[in-house]
Amino acid sequence: MTRTAVLICPGRGTYNKPELGYLHRHHADKAALFAGFDAARAALGQEEVTALDGATRFSVGKYSRGDIASPLIYASALADAQSLASDIEVVAVTGNSMGWYIALAAAGALSAQDGFALVNTMGTLMQEHLIGGQLVYPFTGDDWRPDPQRKAELLALVAQINARRDHVLALSIDLGGMLVLAGDDAGLTAFEAAVPQIADRFPMRLANHAGFHTALQAPVATEGRERLDGGMLMQPAVPLVDGRGAIWQPGSSDLAALWDYTLGHQVVESYDFTRAVQVAAQEFAPDLFIVTGPGTTLGGAVAQSLVHQDWRGMTDKAAFKARQAEAPLLISMGDDSQRSKVVAS
């Protein structure tokens, strides 16, 4: 019996110390795929992906860099996407932030090698420029119930800070029950000073993250368009849901518009991951939501996005947990206990 699934690809911040060795542990059978990625890196004088993954020591300073994290996450996620069991039918693909680039390859709109070129180029450019930064702050409580008033208050504060002289702050990613904000140091610092600390964790700055999905990244988008060829795009094999909730359909996608979005709006405007998940749920009604590895951190944002639209009667965290315990609908491939439910045996 076929199981339908929306495939969700993660972005930056998902390859951490526990993920070191992910390619070697899970994908020893994909040497040919990784050889192409390694060759592309070597040609640029960059350390090979398999060498990075096979290292004996992990350091945040190194592995959080855009030119290191991006290719590792791409290789891990795409290999996972290629490892799904034969009874799973992927009915749509989406992703979070950099995960949009991975989604393009996972959906067949880019070859594996061209997708790697896109990710490696943009990750390297982000690191070279490193304009601005990011922080994360929740707007829902531990029960995950939507709190539109609190969200509106926080976004109003963001707008107020952004209006100050020599301050830049904007919504970078709408991420389930979290707001990912991006800006310059003055803007981020002002927000940190204006909001209460939560659980001794938030607001939390993200190491080696630039001001993604804001106008600060306009130079990166421009250089990316100069270095990369939009002719690499193909019609997707399955529908793609982008960071606005727009759907790109197989056989009828305007590839010029898709390229413009990918290296235009997607880079310099807010990324609404919550909406992407909710549109995928409403339009494709899958049996499963499968989040590829590496890592498991994106699962919470997917679950919160579903709760915030009362997906199948789930109105809070407890309802989601009960549904998940009865018959799992969210599978994180970065979790070994869940992975086994969806990979080819």
Side-chain angles (χ1 to χ4, degrees):
M1 184 175 174
T2 299
R3 295 177 288 169
T4 60
V6 166
L7 190 68
I8 303 173
C9 303
R12 289 280 298 277
T14 53
Y15 191 103
N16 297 300
K17 188 175 182 179
E19 284 69 56
L20 190 65
Y22 195 89
L23 302 181
H24 289 78
R25 284 195 302 278
H26 297 301
H27 299 296
D29 61 333
K30 296 185 176 64
L33 177 69
F34 302 144
F37 301 165
D38 284 348
R41 295 271 295 178
L44 296 169
Q46 296 176 310
E47 192 173 354
E48 295 177 345
V49 174
T50 53
L52 290 165
D53 182 70
T56 56
R57 182 175 174 274
F58 181 93
S59 73
V60 173
K62 177 178 180 177
Y63 281 80
S64 64
R65 290 173 54 94
D67 55 342
I68 303 293
S70 298
L72 279 168
I73 293 166
Y74 176 85
S76 301
L78 188 65
D80 273 358
Q82 294 181 359
S83 301
L84 294 173
S86 59
D87 70 321
I88 290 177
E89 178 191 356
V90 175
V91 293
V93 186
T94 190
N96 176 43
S97 189
M98 188 200 89
W100 170 249
Y101 302 146
I102 309 171
L104 288 170
L110 288 173
S111 70
Q113 198 64 34
D114 285 340
F116 184 82
L118 171 61
V119 164
N120 198 59
T121 298
M122 296 304 289
T124 299
L125 288 175
M126 291 285 186
Q127 187 63 37
E128 288 174 351
H129 290 270
L130 209 59
I131 307 167
Q134 276 184 321
L135 63 77
V136 181
Y137 195 75
F139 66 87
T140 62
D142 290 339
D143 60 4
W144 292 359
R145 288 184 181 274
D147 189 345
Q149 181 177 343
R150 179 58 176 155
K151 184 178 184 180
E153 290 170 353
L154 289 168
L155 291 176
L157 173 62
V158 169
Q160 291 168 15
I161 292 172
N162 189 59
R164 297 177 191 172
R165 184 176 179 179
D166 298 325
H167 286 66
V168 177
L169 190 65
L171 175 65
S172 176
I173 307 172
D174 195 318
L175 190 66
M178 299 269 191
L179 298 178
V180 183
L181 305 180
D184 61 9
D185 188 63
L188 294 168
T189 301
F191 182 86
E192 289 166 337
V195 295
Q197 276 211 335
I198 298 175
D200 293 325
R201 290 183 65 206
F202 304 105
M204 179 172 64
R205 291 263 189 136
L206 301 176
N208 267 327
H209 283 219
F212 306 145
H213 310 297
T214 70
L216 290 171
Q217 298 307 307
V220 173
T222 298
E223 196 165 340
R225 288 192 294 270
E226 291 171 353
R227 290 197 191 184
L228 294 158
D229 180 6
M232 65 174 67
L233 277 179
M234 304 175 285
Q235 287 292 330
V238 295
L240 280 156
V241 184
D242 70 22
R244 304 163 299 181
I247 301 172
W248 301 86
Q249 293 284 2
S252 61
S253 290
D254 181 334
L255 297 185
L258 181 56
W259 189 249
D260 286 346
Y261 167 76
T262 298
L263 288 182
H265 187 289
Q266 193 272 144
V267 182
V268 299
E269 300 286 349
S270 296
Y271 197 95
D272 196 340
F273 178 72
T274 302
R275 179 161 174 75
V277 171
Q278 292 176 345
V279 166
Q282 291 168 336
E283 295 296 322
F284 300 98
D287 299 320
L288 297 171
F289 295 86
I290 301 176
V291 183
T292 69
T296 59
T297 53
L298 192 58
V302 175
Q304 289 165 353
S305 299
L306 295 173
V307 164
H308 289 183
Q309 68 174 167
D310 296 340
W311 175 250
R312 294 184 178 171
M314 297 182 297
T315 56
D316 58 16
K317 184 177 182 178
F320 170 80
K321 293 280 191 182
R323 175 67 174 78
Q324 188 77 349
E326 176 188 336
L329 60 85
L330 174 61
I331 303 292
S332 290
M333 294 183 75
D335 182 323
D336 287 347
S337 65
Q338 295 182 18
R339 180 184 188 85
S340 60
K341 300 179 188 299
V342 295
V343 297
S345 55

